[in-house]
Amino acid sequence: MSKKKGLSAEEKRTRMMEIFSETKDVFQLKDLEKIAPKEKGITAMSVKEVLQSLVDDGMVDCERIGTSNYYWAFPSKALHARKHKLEVLESQETTCIFITQQIFKILVMNLETLYKLSEGSQKHASLQKSIEKAKIGRCETEERTRLAKELSSLRDQREQLKAEVEKYKDCDPQVVEEIRQANKVAKEAANRWTDNIFAIKSWAKRKFGFEENKIDRTFGIPEDFDYID
């Protein structure tokens, strides 16, 4: 018979939170070291580490009274912690959108410069050389790539938070709805700026006759850049 696979760190955290949400009680460490192995399959040796990670993330409260530590977490505690984290991510995304606006302006200026450089010469060969020269010593392409990666990371984190919120949807419907609405607004904002990027690419192709893949390579736009579903 194959050996039973142990719980992952995230599974232990989820099951530990179930103890608090199901009992709505306050515990000492020694209490949880007895309850967790029996009811949730969490080894006694890992209880302290799991508890500390939940306290560090603000999902479980801890208070020292006398010589003992007491732990508790009401049903909406985890949701409020995730809501706060989502608000931080949305604030970061707003900053990224502002930076994107500035990069768009630089992108247009560079395209116009490249177009002027290509006039009166052998268009295709000269244009390629001008693009390579424009890339040397400039930080716009690196900045655009960094921003794209940061936006992608924010989207991934938001999707992870949405999945975590779904696990606690029965705890506090009002808070869940607020988080869903906030996520909807953030998603719409990100897709609006995705529209802007596609619009500028389309304009550049019409005005200057650039190929789309050449624009993507020059300004660091990822091949899989697309709308958020």
Side-chain angles (χ1 to χ4, degrees), residues 20-32:
F20 289 107
S21 63
E22 290 168 0
T23 62
K24 299 179 179 63
D25 205 349
V26 179
F27 301 95
Q28 290 182 268
L29 176 60
K30 62 182 180 181
D31 299 324
L32 291 168

Side-chain angles (χ1 to χ4, degrees), residues 176-198:
V176 173
E177 182 59 28
E178 290 176 359
I179 293 177
R180 286 175 175 168
Q181 289 301 320
N183 185 67
K184 179 180 179 182
V185 171
K187 174 183 174 182
E188 291 175 350
N191 282 336
R192 280 199 301 273
W193 284 105
T194 300
D195 270 335
N196 290 342
I197 293 175
F198 285 137

Side-chain angles (χ1 to χ4, degrees), residues 59-228:
M59 297 174 65
V60 172
D61 289 311
C62 176
E63 186 72 29
R64 188 173 185 82
I65 302 176
T67 59
S68 301
N69 289 328
Y70 291 84
Y71 301 87
W72 71 92
F74 297 114
S76 62
K77 177 70 176 179
L79 285 172
H80 283 298
R82 281 164 173 75
K83 181 181 178 183
H84 174 70
K85 187 172 182 180
L86 185 58
E87 289 172 348
V88 172
L89 289 175
E90 288 171 349
S91 175
Q92 293 174 346
E93 186 167 13
T94 298
T95 300
C96 288
I97 289 173
F98 173 76
I99 296 174
T100 302
Q101 289 179 300
Q102 306 308 310
I103 292 177
F104 284 160
K105 295 178 181 178
I106 297 173
L107 185 150
V108 172
M109 292 173 61
N110 285 343
L111 288 175
E112 291 177 343
T113 300
L114 291 174
Y115 179 71
K116 292 177 181 178
L117 289 173
S118 68
E119 289 181 337
S121 62
Q122 296 179 355
K123 186 174 181 180
H124 296 290
S126 178
L127 179 59
Q128 183 60 43
K129 291 179 181 179
S130 297
I131 289 174
E132 295 301 324
K133 290 180 180 179
K135 291 168 63 177
I136 297 174
R138 292 175 179 260
C139 62
E140 290 85 0
T141 297
E142 294 181 0
E143 178 67 13
R144 181 65 186 84
T145 301
R146 184 194 66 76
L147 179 60
K149 290 181 179 179
E150 187 171 346
L151 283 171
S152 176
S153 176
L154 290 174
R155 289 168 179 161
D156 291 342
Q157 292 182 56
R158 182 172 59 243
E159 291 304 315
Q160 182 179 354
L161 284 173
K162 285 170 62 180
E164 292 180 356
V165 167
E166 191 65 21
K167 293 189 298 186
Y168 296 92
K169 63 182 179 179
D170 296 328
C171 297
D172 192 337
Q174 181 178 354
V175 174
V176 173
E177 182 59 28
E178 290 176 359
I179 293 177
R180 286 175 175 168
Q181 289 301 320
N183 185 67
K184 179 180 179 182
V185 171
K187 174 183 174 182
E188 291 175 350
N191 282 336
R192 280 199 301 273
W193 284 105
T194 300
D195 270 335
N196 290 342
I197 293 175
F198 285 137
I200 286 183
K201 287 173 62 177
S202 178
W203 171 80
K205 288 190 291 183
R206 291 197 309 271
K207 184 172 180 63
F208 304 115
F210 293 161
E211 296 179 0
E212 183 171 352
N213 59 358
K214 185 175 294 183
I215 295 174
D216 289 345
R217 290 197 305 270
T218 302
F219 297 100
I221 300 175
E223 294 182 0
D224 60 352
F225 183 80
D226 206 345
Y227 297 95
I228 300 175

